[in-house]
C-alpha cells in the first residue's frame, strides 16, 4: 500500500515538474478524492486552497507562493523542504506573508515550507484543535492578544528565528525544534521536549511561562540567568543550562555546560544552516528517555543533516535537455526518493 501511495505522490510531483518546464510557471497540485487539479503561478496556493475542502491535500513545488488571508480548513499542505542543500533540484517552498490559522482549521497539517514572515495561531475567540506543523521555518510565532484557544498543537522539527508568543496554545507539544529568539512568552500547560533554545537577550528568556514540562532541552544563553516570578509552577527534567524561574515544581538532573562546550559549531544566536547543533559530548547528556538531549535525540530526532526532509517524495535530482530530440520530445531525468 505504501509503495502505491509513494508512486502516486511521485507521479503527481513529476506531473507538476513537466507542466512547469513547459508553462514556465510553478504548478500547485490539489488532490481531492483521487483526482488531481493543477493551479499555476504565484497565486496557485490561494486558488488551490479556495477549491479545497477538509481532508484535501495540496502539494507545492519550490518557489514563492501567496497565501490565503486565513487558513480555516482542515487540509494538508506539503512543500519541498527548508534545507538549501536538499532543495537544489526544486528550490525551497516559501510562503509569502503571515501564516494565520483560525477557526475551522481542525486537523490542519503543514510540512516542509518556510515562511518569509511569522505564523499566528488564532485571532479573536478562535477555537481550533489538532494542528501539526512539521519541518517548517518561520520568523517566529506572532503575538495573539485574544481569547483564542488552540489545543493539541504539535510543532515538530521546526525552526523559529524570531519572537515566540504561545498565548492561547495549551495542552500541546513542541518537540525537536530550534528557537533562535529573544524570549519564549506566555506558554501554559505545554510540553517542550528535545528542543534547542539560543539567545543573547540580557533579560528573562522564558517570560510568563507557567505549568509547563520542559525536558531534554538545550539552552545557550548570552544573558544572565535572571530568576523571574513571572514563570511559575513549571517542571524541569534533564535540561542543559535551563534558567530557573521561581516557585517551580521540579528541577531534576540539570546539566551545566559552558556555552562554548555545548555544540559542535555555534557562533551566534542568529540562526544559520552553517551552524551545527550536534552536541560535542552527546553521551554525557542523556534525557529522560535515554537518548541525548537536544534535537538529535527523542522520538523525532533529526537525521544526520541540518534540517529534516518532508515526508512526501523528495526530488533529489532534476535535469532537462536544452533541446528537443528529432521527435520534438524534451528529455527529462528526475530522481525521486522518500525520506526514510
Amino acid at each position: 500500500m505504501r509503495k502505491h501511495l509513494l508512486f502516486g505522490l511521485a507521479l503527481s510531483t513529476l506531473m507538476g515538474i513537466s507542466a512547469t518546464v513547459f508553462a514556465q510557471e510553478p504548478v500547485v497540485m490539489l488532490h481531492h478524492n483521487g483526482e488531481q487539479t493543477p493551479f499555476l503561478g504565484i497565486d496557485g496556493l490561494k486558488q488551490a486552497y479556495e477549491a479545497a475542502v477538509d481532508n484535501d491535500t495540496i502539494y507545492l513545488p519550490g518557489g514563492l507562493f501567496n497565501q490565503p488571508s486565513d487558513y480555516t480548513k482542515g487540509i494538508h499542505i506539503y512543500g519541498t523542504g527548508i534545507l538549501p542543500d536538499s532543495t537544489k533540484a526544486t528550490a525551497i517552498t516559501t510562503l509569502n506573508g503571515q501564516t494565520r490559522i483560525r477557526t475551522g482549521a481542525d486537523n490542519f497539517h503543514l510540512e516542509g515550507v518556510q515562511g518569509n514572515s511569522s505564523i499566528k495561531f488564532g485571532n479573536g475567540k478562535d477555537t481550533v484543535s489538532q494542528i501539526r506543523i512539521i519541518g517548517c521555518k518561520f520568523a517566529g510565532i506572532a503575538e495573539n492578544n485574544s481569547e483564542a484557544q488552540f489545543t493539541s498543537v504539535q510543532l515538530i522539527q521546526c525552526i523559529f528565528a524570531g519572537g515566540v508568543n504561545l498565548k492561547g496554545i495549551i495542552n500541546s507539544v513542541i518537540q525537536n525544534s530550534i528557537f533562535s529568539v529573544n524570549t519564549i512568552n506566555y506558554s501554559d500547560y505545554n510540553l517542550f521536549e528535545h528542543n534547542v533554545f539560543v539567545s543573547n537577550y540580557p533579560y528573562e528568556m522564558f517570560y510568563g511561562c507557567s505549568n509547563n514540562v520542559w525536558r531534554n532541552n538545550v539552552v545557550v544563553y548570552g544573558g544572565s540567568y535572571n530568576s523571574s516570578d513571572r514563570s511559575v509552577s513549571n517542571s524541569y527534567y534533564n535540561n542543559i543550562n535551563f534558567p530557573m524561574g521561581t516557585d517551580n515544581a521540579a528541577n531534576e538532573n540539570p546539566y551545566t555546560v559552558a556555552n562554548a562546550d555545548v555544540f559542535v559549531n555555534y557562533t551566534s544566536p542568529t540562526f544559520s544552516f552553517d551552524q551545527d547543533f550536534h552536541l560535542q559530548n552527546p553521551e554525557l547528556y542523556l534525557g529522560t528517555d535515554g537518548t541525548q538531549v537536544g534535537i538529535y535525540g527523542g522520538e523525532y530526532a533529526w537525521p544526520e543533516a541540518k534540517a529534516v526532509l518532508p515526508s512526501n517524495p523528495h526530488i533529489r535530482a532534476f535535469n532537462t535537455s536544452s533541446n528537443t530530440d528529432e521527435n520534438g520530445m524534451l528529455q527529462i531525468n528526475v530522481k525521486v526518493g522518500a525520506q526514510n
Side-chain angles (χ1 to χ4, degrees):
M1 178 70 180
R2 177 173 172 79
K3 288 183 179 179
H4 291 298
L5 175 61
L6 290 177
F7 177 78
L9 295 180
L11 180 61
S12 171
T13 303
L14 293 177
M15 289 172 61
I17 290 174
S18 299
T20 302
V21 169
F22 292 106
Q24 298 300 310
E25 287 190 279
V27 179
V28 176
M29 299 298 293
L30 169 64
H31 286 235
H32 170 76
N33 289 339
E35 297 182 357
Q36 303 172 5
T37 305
F39 296 87
L40 302 181
I42 191 171
D43 287 323
L45 171 57
K46 293 176 65 175
Q47 295 166 359
Y49 177 80
E50 290 171 2
V53 298
D54 287 349
N55 297 315
D56 283 355
T57 301
I58 296 174
Y59 293 98
L60 299 171
L64 179 69
F65 296 93
N66 293 325
Q67 300 185 81
S69 57
D70 299 295
Y71 291 98
T72 58
K73 302 175 185 179
I75 62 172
H76 310 270
I77 301 175
Y78 293 87
T80 60
I82 61 174
L83 179 60
D85 286 348
S86 298
T87 54
K88 290 180 179 179
T90 60
I92 294 171
T93 301
T94 301
L95 304 183
N96 187 37
Q98 189 175 71
T99 302
R100 293 189 291 269
I101 304 173
R102 302 196 60 188
T103 294
D106 301 86
N107 300 305
F108 179 80
H109 181 110
L110 181 63
E111 186 170 348
V113 305
Q114 73 173 9
N116 62 13
S117 185
S118 58
I119 185 170
K120 185 173 184 178
F121 294 88
N123 194 35
K125 297 183 178 182
D126 288 319
T127 301
V128 184
S129 183
Q130 303 293 334
I131 304 294
R132 285 172 63 86
I133 312 294
I134 303 177
C136 295
K137 180 176 181 289
F138 287 99
I141 299 177
E143 183 174 358
N144 181 23
N145 291 321
S146 69
E147 299 177 34
Q149 181 170 298
F150 280 64
T151 57
S152 299
V153 175
Q154 291 181 289
L155 304 178
I156 300 171
Q157 297 173 331
C158 291
I159 299 168
F160 298 99
V164 168
N165 190 303
L166 298 171
K167 186 176 183 180
I169 299 177
I170 62 173
N171 298 325
S172 296
V173 179
I174 298 91
Q175 294 173 288
N176 295 85
S177 294
I178 296 174
F179 294 84
S180 177
V181 300
N182 287 337
T183 57
I184 307 294
N185 296 308
Y186 301 116
S187 174
D188 295 296
Y189 298 99
N190 295 313
L191 168 64
F192 293 79
E193 187 173 51
H194 284 287
N195 301 291
V196 164
F197 301 91
V198 295
S199 174
N200 60 1
Y201 194 57
Y203 304 109
E204 297 92 347
M205 188 175 185
F206 300 90
Y207 182 92
C209 298
S210 303
N211 300 293
N212 302 282
V213 174
W214 309 79
R215 64 190 184 204
N216 314 330
N217 302 289
V218 181
V219 175
V220 169
Y221 188 33
S224 59
Y225 292 153
N226 293 354
S227 294
S228 170
D229 59 2
R230 290 177 287 272
S231 289
V232 300
S233 301
N234 295 283
S235 297
Y236 305 92
Y237 305 94
N238 298 61
N239 300 291
I240 290 181
N241 294 346
F242 209 99
M244 285 285 290
T246 60
D247 190 26
N248 288 297
N251 186 24
E252 298 186 9
N253 301 321
Y255 299 114
T256 301
V257 186
N259 284 350
D261 298 330
V262 177
F263 298 122
V264 169
N265 177 30
Y266 171 76
T267 57
S268 167
T270 300
F271 177 80
S272 168
F273 282 112
D274 292 331
Q275 303 198 71
D276 189 339
F277 292 101
H278 284 86
L279 299 178
Q280 291 185 28
N281 298 290
E283 71 282 356
L284 298 182
Y285 310 113
L286 299 182
T288 56
D289 55 7
T291 69
Q292 62 177 292
V293 303
I295 60 173
Y296 291 99
E299 180 182 3
Y300 296 101
W302 286 33
E304 293 303 307
K306 295 180 179 178
V308 296
L309 296 175
S311 56
N312 56 308
H314 179 67
I315 300 170
R316 303 182 186 278
F318 174 57
N319 297 292
T320 63
S321 174
S322 59
N323 298 298
T324 58
D325 61 19
E326 64 275 9
N327 298 315
M329 302 298 290
L330 184 66
Q331 297 299 311
I332 301 176
N333 296 308
V334 182
K335 182 178 180 181
V336 180
Q339 182 178 207
N340 295 329

